[in-house]
Amino acid sequence: MDRLDNTIRPYAWGSTTAIAKLLGVEPTGEPQAEMWMGAHPGAPSRTERGTLVEAIEADPERELGAAAVAKFGPRLPFLLKILAAGAPLSLQVHPNLEQAKEGYEDEERRGIPVDAGHRNYKDANHKPELICALTEFDGLCGFRDPIEAADALDGLGVDSLKPYVDLLHAHPEEAALREVLTAILSADPQEMARTVAEAAAACARLGGQYAPYADIAHHFPGDPGVIAAMLLNHVRLQPGEALYLGAGIPHAYISGLGVEIMANSDNVLRCGLTPKHVDVPELLRVVRFEAGDPGVLRPEASPDGEEVYETPIDEFRLSRYVLPEGTLAHDLTRATPQILLCTAGAVRVGEHELTPGQSVFVPAGEKAEVSGAGTVFRATVVA
C-alpha cells in the first residue's frame, strides 16, 4: 500500500484555519479549501511510485481489481476530499450520466475548449457526491416546499419579492419552482441587485431562520443566488452526519469541515453565488424541480464495527471505523481499491502510522489491518 502525499487547493472560499488545525500545523494565512485524495488528473495524490494516476495506469487490474476495471474502466472512479468551507460555495447542480454524456458530446462537436470559462461539461461522467461532517456543517440541499419558501420570502417584507411569492402559491409544485427560479435568474441585474440588498438587510435584522441567508448575502452582495438560496432547505449537520447529493439537486455548502467523496468528474452547473458562468437554459434542463426533505444520513453499523453511509450508486462507498483505545485490529482487506483516511487520534494501517489528515491507498486484494485509537474513513467502490 502507498502513503499518499495530497494537494491542498487554495480556493477563495476555503477556511484559513480548519485544515491546518486538523493536520496539527500552523496556518499559512491563505485559504485552504480542499485536500484531494485520489487519481484525479487535476491534482493526483503522489506516492513513492509516482502519482497515483501513474501507479494505476502501470497495472490497472492489480491496483483496482478485475471487477472494478470491468465495471468502471481502468481508472479510480471516485475522488475523496477533506473540504473546509470558510465562506459559501457556489449554488450548483450536477447532471445525471445521460445528461453529462449528451452535454459533453455537444460541446465537443461545437469545438468549445475544455478549459473555456463558458464550458459546462469537462467530461462525460456524472458527479453524485456525499459530504460527511467532521465539525458542525451548514449547507443548503434541495428545494423546500413552495409554500414554505413563499412564506419565507413574504416574511422579509420586500415589495419586489411579491411576484415570486405569488408564483409559488399559484402553480403545482414543479411548475412553481421552475417559474420562480427562471424568473430570479433572468431578472434585470440592476433591479435584482436592489432586491437582494433589501432582502439581505431584512435577513440580518430578523435573524433566526434568515441568518444563513444574511451570511450568504454578506459574501455575495447583489447576487441573484441569494434569493435562489431561499428556495432551498437549510441543513445543519452534526459531526458524523452526512448528505447525499444526487443528480439535479441544487445545493451549496456554507461553512464547516467535512469528508467529501464523489464520482471522478468536474461537471458543475451553477445557479448563482459565483462570478463564474451561469448557463440558465442548460441549468433548467438539469435541475430536478422537486421539493422534499434533504435526508440527513447517519451511518449504519455492522457487527465488525464498520459504519456505512448508504447511497444508491456504485462509484463510491464511504464508511468509517471509530476505534476506542484497546480495540483489536480490524481486517479491512477488500477485493476493490481503497483509500483509508485518519481524521482523529492515531492509527496504524499495515506499516503506516497515520495521524489526522493522513491517508493511504490500498490496492485491490492487498492485506490491510487497522489498529490504534482514532477514526478512519474508508473509501472504496461497489463492484
Side-chain angles (χ1 to χ4, degrees), residues 139-158:
L140 305 172
C141 180
F143 289 108
R144 43 174 152 178
D145 181 273
I147 302 304
E148 290 181 14
D151 290 345
L153 292 175
D154 196 36
L156 295 175
V158 176

PDB file of all heavy atoms in Angstrom, residues 139-158:
ATOM      1  N   GLY A 139     -25.211  23.798   5.283  1.00  0.00           N
ATOM      2  CA  GLY A 139     -25.357  23.733   3.835  1.00  0.00           C
ATOM      3  C   GLY A 139     -26.793  23.954   3.411  1.00  0.00           C
ATOM      4  O   GLY A 139     -27.710  24.062   4.238  1.00  0.00           O
ATOM      5  N   LEU A 140     -26.995  24.025   2.115  1.00  0.00           N
ATOM      6  CA  LEU A 140     -28.308  24.099   1.503  1.00  0.00           C
ATOM      7  C   LEU A 140     -28.461  22.865   0.631  1.00  0.00           C
ATOM      8  O   LEU A 140     -27.532  22.495  -0.095  1.00  0.00           O
ATOM      9  CB  LEU A 140     -28.450  25.357   0.642  1.00  0.00           C
ATOM     10  CG  LEU A 140     -28.164  26.699   1.318  1.00  0.00           C
ATOM     11  CD1 LEU A 140     -28.155  27.818   0.286  1.00  0.00           C
ATOM     12  CD2 LEU A 140     -29.213  26.981   2.385  1.00  0.00           C
ATOM     13  N   CYS A 141     -29.635  22.229   0.666  1.00  0.00           N
ATOM     14  CA  CYS A 141     -29.798  20.984  -0.083  1.00  0.00           C
ATOM     15  C   CYS A 141     -31.251  20.785  -0.496  1.00  0.00           C
ATOM     16  O   CYS A 141     -32.116  20.554   0.356  1.00  0.00           O
ATOM     17  CB  CYS A 141     -29.328  19.804   0.757  1.00  0.00           C
ATOM     18  SG  CYS A 141     -29.480  18.211  -0.066  1.00  0.00           S
ATOM     19  N   GLY A 142     -31.518  20.883  -1.789  1.00  0.00           N
ATOM     20  CA  GLY A 142     -32.834  20.581  -2.324  1.00  0.00           C
ATOM     21  C   GLY A 142     -33.863  21.666  -2.043  1.00  0.00           C
ATOM     22  O   GLY A 142     -33.716  22.482  -1.132  1.00  0.00           O
ATOM     23  N   PHE A 143     -34.921  21.670  -2.837  1.00  0.00           N
ATOM     24  CA  PHE A 143     -35.979  22.673  -2.685  1.00  0.00           C
ATOM     25  C   PHE A 143     -36.840  22.382  -1.458  1.00  0.00           C
ATOM     26  O   PHE A 143     -37.183  21.233  -1.176  1.00  0.00           O
ATOM     27  CB  PHE A 143     -36.893  22.669  -3.914  1.00  0.00           C
ATOM     28  CG  PHE A 143     -36.249  23.225  -5.151  1.00  0.00           C
ATOM     29  CD1 PHE A 143     -35.884  22.383  -6.189  1.00  0.00           C
ATOM     30  CD2 PHE A 143     -36.018  24.587  -5.280  1.00  0.00           C
ATOM     31  CE1 PHE A 143     -35.293  22.889  -7.334  1.00  0.00           C
ATOM     32  CE2 PHE A 143     -35.431  25.108  -6.422  1.00  0.00           C
ATOM     33  CZ  PHE A 143     -35.057  24.254  -7.453  1.00  0.00           C
ATOM     34  N   ARG A 144     -37.193  23.459  -0.755  1.00  0.00           N
ATOM     35  CA  ARG A 144     -38.194  23.284   0.293  1.00  0.00           C
ATOM     36  C   ARG A 144     -39.584  23.377  -0.341  1.00  0.00           C
ATOM     37  O   ARG A 144     -39.729  23.717  -1.510  1.00  0.00           O
ATOM     38  CB  ARG A 144     -38.017  24.288   1.417  1.00  0.00           C
ATOM     39  CG  ARG A 144     -37.725  25.715   1.097  1.00  0.00           C
ATOM     40  CD  ARG A 144     -37.758  26.486   2.427  1.00  0.00           C
ATOM     41  NE  ARG A 144     -36.913  27.672   2.424  1.00  0.00           N
ATOM     42  CZ  ARG A 144     -36.822  28.500   3.454  1.00  0.00           C
ATOM     43  NH1 ARG A 144     -37.525  28.301   4.546  1.00  0.00           N
ATOM     44  NH2 ARG A 144     -36.014  29.542   3.404  1.00  0.00           N
ATOM     45  N   ASP A 145     -40.584  23.073   0.424  1.00  0.00           N
ATOM     46  CA  ASP A 145     -41.956  23.154  -0.058  1.00  0.00           C
ATOM     47  C   ASP A 145     -42.224  24.576  -0.571  1.00  0.00           C
ATOM     48  O   ASP A 145     -41.858  25.562   0.090  1.00  0.00           O
ATOM     49  CB  ASP A 145     -42.911  22.830   1.090  1.00  0.00           C
ATOM     50  CG  ASP A 145     -44.361  22.877   0.647  1.00  0.00           C
ATOM     51  OD1 ASP A 145     -44.947  23.984   0.678  1.00  0.00           O
ATOM     52  OD2 ASP A 145     -44.884  21.826   0.274  1.00  0.00           O
ATOM     53  N   PRO A 146     -42.843  24.724  -1.763  1.00  0.00           N
ATOM     54  CA  PRO A 146     -43.066  26.071  -2.308  1.00  0.00           C
ATOM     55  C   PRO A 146     -43.814  27.012  -1.369  1.00  0.00           C
ATOM     56  O   PRO A 146     -43.528  28.216  -1.349  1.00  0.00           O
ATOM     57  CB  PRO A 146     -43.877  25.797  -3.586  1.00  0.00           C
ATOM     58  CG  PRO A 146     -43.510  24.417  -3.981  1.00  0.00           C
ATOM     59  CD  PRO A 146     -43.286  23.675  -2.698  1.00  0.00           C
ATOM     60  N   ILE A 147     -44.747  26.483  -0.601  1.00  0.00           N
ATOM     61  CA  ILE A 147     -45.492  27.346   0.325  1.00  0.00           C
ATOM     62  C   ILE A 147     -44.570  27.835   1.443  1.00  0.00           C
ATOM     63  O   ILE A 147     -44.627  29.003   1.851  1.00  0.00           O
ATOM     64  CB  ILE A 147     -46.714  26.605   0.905  1.00  0.00           C
ATOM     65  CG1 ILE A 147     -47.649  26.139  -0.224  1.00  0.00           C
ATOM     66  CG2 ILE A 147     -47.459  27.514   1.877  1.00  0.00           C
ATOM     67  CD1 ILE A 147     -48.116  27.263  -1.143  1.00  0.00           C
ATOM     68  N   GLU A 148     -43.692  26.942   1.940  1.00  0.00           N
ATOM     69  CA  GLU A 148     -42.715  27.368   2.952  1.00  0.00           C
ATOM     70  C   GLU A 148     -41.779  28.420   2.379  1.00  0.00           C
ATOM     71  O   GLU A 148     -41.443  29.409   3.053  1.00  0.00           O
ATOM     72  CB  GLU A 148     -41.906  26.174   3.441  1.00  0.00           C
ATOM     73  CG  GLU A 148     -42.683  25.188   4.287  1.00  0.00           C
ATOM     74  CD  GLU A 148     -41.803  24.043   4.754  1.00  0.00           C
ATOM     75  OE1 GLU A 148     -40.557  24.171   4.643  1.00  0.00           O
ATOM     76  OE2 GLU A 148     -42.346  23.029   5.228  1.00  0.00           O
ATOM     77  N   ALA A 149     -41.330  28.224   1.149  1.00  0.00           N
ATOM     78  CA  ALA A 149     -40.449  29.213   0.512  1.00  0.00           C
ATOM     79  C   ALA A 149     -41.174  30.537   0.322  1.00  0.00           C
ATOM     80  O   ALA A 149     -40.600  31.612   0.551  1.00  0.00           O
ATOM     81  CB  ALA A 149     -39.959  28.672  -0.836  1.00  0.00           C
ATOM     82  N   ALA A 150     -42.443  30.464  -0.069  1.00  0.00           N
ATOM     83  CA  ALA A 150     -43.239  31.690  -0.236  1.00  0.00           C
ATOM     84  C   ALA A 150     -43.367  32.438   1.081  1.00  0.00           C
ATOM     85  O   ALA A 150     -43.217  33.667   1.137  1.00  0.00           O
ATOM     86  CB  ALA A 150     -44.621  31.342  -0.789  1.00  0.00           C
ATOM     87  N   ASP A 151     -43.634  31.705   2.163  1.00  0.00           N
ATOM     88  CA  ASP A 151     -43.771  32.345   3.472  1.00  0.00           C
ATOM     89  C   ASP A 151     -42.459  33.001   3.904  1.00  0.00           C
ATOM     90  O   ASP A 151     -42.457  34.099   4.488  1.00  0.00           O
ATOM     91  CB  ASP A 151     -44.201  31.315   4.518  1.00  0.00           C
ATOM     92  CG  ASP A 151     -45.634  30.835   4.319  1.00  0.00           C
ATOM     93  OD1 ASP A 151     -46.371  31.500   3.564  1.00  0.00           O
ATOM     94  OD2 ASP A 151     -45.996  29.801   4.905  1.00  0.00           O
ATOM     95  N   ALA A 152     -41.334  32.328   3.606  1.00  0.00           N
ATOM     96  CA  ALA A 152     -40.035  32.891   3.985  1.00  0.00           C
ATOM     97  C   ALA A 152     -39.760  34.181   3.218  1.00  0.00           C
ATOM     98  O   ALA A 152     -39.305  35.181   3.795  1.00  0.00           O
ATOM     99  CB  ALA A 152     -38.925  31.879   3.731  1.00  0.00           C
ATOM    100  N   LEU A 153     -40.035  34.173   1.930  1.00  0.00           N
ATOM    101  CA  LEU A 153     -39.820  35.385   1.132  1.00  0.00           C
ATOM    102  C   LEU A 153     -40.783  36.494   1.557  1.00  0.00           C
ATOM    103  O   LEU A 153     -40.390  37.659   1.690  1.00  0.00           O
ATOM    104  CB  LEU A 153     -40.010  35.076  -0.361  1.00  0.00           C
ATOM    105  CG  LEU A 153     -38.953  34.171  -1.010  1.00  0.00           C
ATOM    106  CD1 LEU A 153     -39.340  33.857  -2.454  1.00  0.00           C
ATOM    107  CD2 LEU A 153     -37.582  34.831  -0.984  1.00  0.00           C
ATOM    108  N   ASP A 154     -42.042  36.128   1.785  1.00  0.00           N
ATOM    109  CA  ASP A 154     -43.041  37.121   2.175  1.00  0.00           C
ATOM    110  C   ASP A 154     -42.699  37.754   3.513  1.00  0.00           C
ATOM    111  O   ASP A 154     -42.935  38.952   3.746  1.00  0.00           O
ATOM    112  CB  ASP A 154     -44.415  36.446   2.227  1.00  0.00           C
ATOM    113  CG  ASP A 154     -45.550  37.448   2.232  1.00  0.00           C
ATOM    114  OD1 ASP A 154     -45.427  38.501   1.560  1.00  0.00           O
ATOM    115  OD2 ASP A 154     -46.575  37.178   2.893  1.00  0.00           O
ATOM    116  N   GLY A 155     -42.092  36.952   4.416  1.00  0.00           N
ATOM    117  CA  GLY A 155     -41.750  37.453   5.741  1.00  0.00           C
ATOM    118  C   GLY A 155     -40.689  38.532   5.747  1.00  0.00           C
ATOM    119  O   GLY A 155     -40.512  39.216   6.766  1.00  0.00           O
ATOM    120  N   LEU A 156     -39.985  38.702   4.635  1.00  0.00           N
ATOM    121  CA  LEU A 156     -38.967  39.753   4.561  1.00  0.00           C
ATOM    122  C   LEU A 156     -39.566  41.138   4.347  1.00  0.00           C
ATOM    123  O   LEU A 156     -38.887  42.147   4.588  1.00  0.00           O
ATOM    124  CB  LEU A 156     -37.985  39.442   3.420  1.00  0.00           C
ATOM    125  CG  LEU A 156     -37.137  38.185   3.595  1.00  0.00           C
ATOM    126  CD1 LEU A 156     -36.297  37.933   2.347  1.00  0.00           C
ATOM    127  CD2 LEU A 156     -36.230  38.319   4.811  1.00  0.00           C
ATOM    128  N   GLY A 157     -40.805  41.187   3.867  1.00  0.00           N
ATOM    129  CA  GLY A 157     -41.448  42.482   3.661  1.00  0.00           C
ATOM    130  C   GLY A 157     -40.838  43.301   2.542  1.00  0.00           C
ATOM    131  O   GLY A 157     -40.859  44.536   2.591  1.00  0.00           O
ATOM    132  N   VAL A 158     -40.334  42.640   1.515  1.00  0.00           N
ATOM    133  CA  VAL A 158     -39.709  43.320   0.373  1.00  0.00           C
ATOM    134  C   VAL A 158     -40.692  43.275  -0.793  1.00  0.00           C
ATOM    135  O   VAL A 158     -41.023  42.191  -1.304  1.00  0.00           O
ATOM    136  CB  VAL A 158     -38.378  42.643  -0.010  1.00  0.00           C
ATOM    137  CG1 VAL A 158     -37.788  43.282  -1.259  1.00  0.00           C
ATOM    138  CG2 VAL A 158     -37.399  42.725   1.156  1.00  0.00           C
TER     139      VAL A 158
END
